[in-house]
Amino acid sequence: MTTMTDTSARFREFKMPDVGEGLTEAEILKWYVQPGDTVTDGQVVCEVETAKAAVELPVPFDGVVHELRFPEGTTVDVGEVIIAVDVAPGSGDAPAQAEPVQEAVPEPEAEEAPKGRQPVLVGYGVAESSTKRRARKGVAVPGPAAAAVQAELNGRAAAEPAPAPVLEGRPLAKPPVRKLAKDLGIDLATVTPTGEGGVITREDVHAAAAPAQPAAPVQPAPAVEPAPAAPEETVVSVQGARETRVPVKGVRKAIAQAMVGSAFTAPHVTEFVTVDVTRTMKLVAELKEDKDMAGVRVNPLLIIAKALLVAIKRNPDVNASWDEAAQEIVQKHYVNLGIAAATPRGLIVPNIKDAHEKTLPQLAEALGELVSTAREGRTSPAAMAGGTVTITNVGVFGVDTGTPILNPGESAILAVGAIKLQPWVHKGKVKPRQVTTLALSFDHRLVDGELGSKVLADVAAILEQPKRLITWA
């Protein structure tokens, strides 16, 4: 099911769907189609980034693209129309495209919202709120200027230069340019526009922010400025400036909110243990040669993950969550094992569903798929939901240990440090051994020090003597 409406028997609109987890907005990263392109049912037309992941959106009908309502880099609320499609091209004159707006204009109050929960791209949206969203202020662009601005958003020059409109005290600029001016502390009313039709461009804002220069005649732009690409809208920087401002949005915004919420909600306790993992490293080398493990990636993280699963089985009370509203501790009889992954868009924590039921080869396959999907930016919101405990491998960065922050809704997170050759007392003699440091953070509301210590000690004992994977399991 998708989110769409009929504007007529010929033209259909596709709205920004709730791609899962009750998200309220998404940023359009890239359009794969342009007005005039033919599309088919199920064809991906754009890529959007939510607070959790980048998702490709397919259009749910055949036809010809009539209009793209928002340029790349724009954050759009769920339910806003993002594309209009002519589903019966050639059957008559197409109506004029809707006039673009400088900022979103509230929909007419006469349109009654549908009742109940509406079907969305993934699952169903959140229940209808009893409160109404406050209308956002916006001023429609006058008709002649609208064509120029629409052409600018589409990256094409208008057929004829439009005369400068009467702005009634409000400078004419695209939303990204307004945001740039706001970030740089520039009042658009003081900026001299050089764009066609009196439109203020990014260069105008940068010129206003630059140090004063000797007066020089302003040269009008030869053509309407093309719509800026999304990456250019991401970082705000002035040549020679000592600071760079990066808008907080998407995955970074979600990380910040989650970490602040976790750190100031769950009382964290972190315990550490240093352990000799020489036998584990030998086991990893042997498994790489095992024909039953052919085709899957074998590394120390695989054995560490299995060790944590065994430790949870021996201490099941650690696998729980705190329900503040109900004042209950929710015991989980399954383990969705989260793996913290660094991606170009930021840190994400996808999880392996029902990891406790998987054999070692199955766990290795799941780990490999999880990591590759995350690095390619294809992790879905569903893959990051429902985790119970997490592993973060800071050792890959050469770090010995850390104090990890809990993933919201989880009870524990295990940090694995770098595995290094160190002097170690082994059988009464000092020998070079493979050594690492483990750190376990847990929610002290539901995990006491004794329970947390037992879990960490069990993981360390297994890594020191991997045969315990058999005897304890």
Side-chain angles (χ1 to χ4, degrees), residues 22 88 103 114 120 156 162 177 201 206 225 257 261 319 355 388 407 423 470:
E103 295 178 4
V120 295
R156 299 189 297 273
V177 177
T201 67
H206 284 305
E225 180 195 18
Q257 293 174 341
N319 190 40
T388 59
N407 203 30
I470 301 174

Side-chain angles (χ1 to χ4, degrees), residues 136-155:
R136 290 174 290 173
K137 296 180 180 179
V139 180
V141 180
V149 180
Q150 180 64 45
E152 183 174 357
L153 295 178
N154 292 337

Side-chain angles (χ1 to χ4, degrees), residues 259 262 301 304-305 308-309 312 318-320 334-341 347-352 355 367 370 383-394 404-416 438-442 455-456 459:
M259 293 299 97
S262 176
L301 180 60
I304 294 168
L308 179 57
L309 292 172
I312 292 172
V318 75
N319 190 40
Y334 58 91
V335 181
N336 290 345
L337 181 62
I339 304 294
L347 176 70
I348 62 174
V349 189
N351 60 75
I352 301 172
L367 276 172
L370 178 148
M384 293 182 282
T388 59
V389 294
T390 292
I391 296 176
T392 177
N393 185 8
V394 297
I405 297 178
L406 293 169
N407 203 30
E410 299 182 9
S411 59
I413 178 171
L414 178 69
V416 182
L438 306 175
L440 183 72
S441 292
F442 50 87
V455 172
L456 184 59
V459 174

Side-chain angles (χ1 to χ4, degrees), residues 42-66:
Q43 177 180 337
V44 173
V45 294
C46 68
E47 181 182 20
V48 301
E49 182 180 44
T50 69
K52 295 192 174 184
V55 180
E56 292 181 333
L57 299 183
V59 69
F61 29 73
D62 301 332
V64 175
V65 177
H66 176 61

Side-chain angles (χ1 to χ4, degrees), residues 309-329:
L309 292 172
V310 172
I312 292 172
K313 183 177 181 180
R314 287 167 53 85
N315 304 276
D317 288 348
V318 75
N319 190 40
S321 63
W322 183 273
D323 189 335
E324 181 66 27
Q327 286 295 292
E328 294 175 343
I329 295 175

